[in-house]
C-alpha cells in the first residue's frame, strides 16, 4: 500500500520492525544494485477503501496509488498490484462492486503510467500464464 499512514494501518508488523522509510530505502537500494526495472514490489489494491484503513473513495485511492506508482517507477522499482480479497465478500457482496471498479481503473491508468516510464513487466519475472490476480502483464501485451 502507498503512504506512511496506510502502511502503518495495513502492515503494522512491517511498520514496527522495518518502517515506511526503510522499506522505501531498501527498494531504491535494490534498484540501484540490480538496475532499474529489475526490482518489483507487491502492492494490494483496494484495502484502502475499507473504513478501518482510511475509507478512501475510489478517486482518492486511485490518485494515491498512481502517485506511489510514479514515485516507485521514478526510482526504478516496478509495483505489481493484486486485488484485495476481503473476508466479508459473501456477507457484503454490494461492497465488491466498488472494489472491482477500483482495481480495473487502477490497472488501466497504471498501464498508461508504465508506458510514460517506458516500463513493462519482464516476462522472465512474470509471464501472462503465471500472473495470479495481476493484470499488468495482460495490459503490457495490449499496449
Amino acid at each position: 500500500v502507498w503512504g506512511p499512514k496506510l502502511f502503518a494501518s495495513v502492515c503494522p508488523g512491517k511498520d514496527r520492525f522495518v518502517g515506511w522509510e526503510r522499506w522505501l530505502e531498501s527498494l531504491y537500494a535494490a534498484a540501484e544494485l540490480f538496475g532499474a526495472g529489475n526490482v518489483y514490489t507487491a502492492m494490494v489494491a483496494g484495502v484502502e477503501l475499507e473504513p478501518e484503513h482510511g475509507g478512501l473513495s475510489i478517486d482518492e485511492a486511485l490518485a494515491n496509488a498512481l502517485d506511489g506508482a510514479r514515485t516507485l517507477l521514478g526510482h526504478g522499482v516496478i509495483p505489481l498490484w493484486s486485488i484485495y480479497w476481503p473476508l466479508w465478500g459473501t456477507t457484503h457482496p454490494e461492497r465488491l462492486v466498488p472494489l472491482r471498479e477500483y482495481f480495473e481503473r487502477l490497472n488501466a491508468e497504471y498501464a498508461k503510467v508504465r508506458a510514460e516510464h517506458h516500463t513493462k513487466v519482464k516476462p522472465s519475472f512474470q509471464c501472462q500464464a503465471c500472473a495470479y490476480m495481476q493484470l499488468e502483464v495482460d495490459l503490457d501485451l495490449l499496449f
Side-chain angles (χ1 to χ4, degrees):
V1 294
W2 187 254
K5 185 177 174 185
L6 189 57
F7 185 85
S9 177
V10 175
C11 310
K14 187 182 284 186
D15 185 61
R16 180 175 174 206
F17 294 105
V18 177
W20 169 255
E21 291 297 328
R22 185 167 177 222
W23 175 68
L24 289 177
E25 290 168 4
S26 297
L27 288 172
Y28 301 160
E32 286 182 27
L33 180 65
F34 298 110
N38 292 314
V39 175
Y40 296 81
T41 189
M43 306 292 272
V44 178
V47 69
E48 60 271 51
L49 303 179
E50 293 284 17
E52 64 270 22
H53 296 300
L56 299 180
S57 71
I58 291 173
D59 289 334
E60 291 168 330
L62 188 61
N64 182 62
L66 294 174
D67 176 59
R70 287 182 181 95
T71 300
L72 291 168
L73 288 170
H75 286 90
V77 178
I78 301 173
L80 295 176
W81 271 276
S82 296
I83 191 169
Y84 166 63
W85 198 254
L87 298 177
W88 47 255
T90 57
T91 56
H92 296 283
E94 74 283 356
R95 291 172 59 191
L96 295 175
V97 173
L99 180 59
R100 189 194 75 226
E101 178 187 339
Y102 171 57
F103 189 65
E104 289 170 356
R105 286 181 59 192
L106 172 60
N107 274 277
E109 292 300 316
Y110 180 45
K112 295 175 190 173
V113 171
R114 283 196 323 281
E116 291 168 8
H117 284 82
H118 308 289
T119 302
K120 289 188 174 190
V121 176
K122 293 182 179 181
S124 61
F125 177 78
Q126 186 173 47
C127 69
Q128 187 180 25
C130 57
Y132 177 72
M133 295 177 64
Q134 293 92 21
L135 298 177
E136 290 89 354
V137 291
D138 295 310
L139 294 173
D140 281 352
L141 289 173
L142 291 174
F143 302 108

